[in-house]
Amino acid sequence: MDTGFRKRNISLSSNWFLIHVFIIVVGIVTVLLNYELIPDQIPIHYNSSWNVDGYAAKSYSSVFMP
């Protein structure tokens, strides 16, 4: 079994991370541009029948919460 691959220095280009940064920035800008279209009560919890049983007030922290 060849275990020589462990001795090689494997690194990723910094450009690879720009794709992820671009996706995050597009998501943030999209939410900020459409913030007024988001309802005042945001559903945050569903029961086993997929009925909403928990709401949160619209705020920047609740909108950007994962």
Side-chain angles (χ1 to χ4, degrees):
M1 182 182 323
D2 180 24
T3 59
F5 69 91
R6 294 178 183 260
K7 295 178 182 176
R8 285 184 265 154
N9 185 9
I10 300 173
S11 62
L12 295 174
S13 169
S14 297
N15 295 335
W16 175 252
F17 298 105
L18 291 178
I19 296 169
H20 300 94
V21 170
F22 176 75
I23 292 170
I24 292 169
V25 169
V26 166
I28 290 171
V29 169
T30 302
V31 168
L32 290 175
L33 291 176
N34 295 305
Y35 186 76
E36 68 278 353
L37 299 175
I38 299 171
D40 291 333
Q41 294 290 320
I42 301 170
I44 60 168
H45 192 267
Y46 298 86
N47 62 16
S48 60
S49 300
W50 291 103
N51 296 321
V52 179
D53 62 358
Y55 291 92
K58 178 174 79 170
S59 67
Y60 287 106
S61 61
S62 65
V63 169
F64 287 111
M65 182 176 57

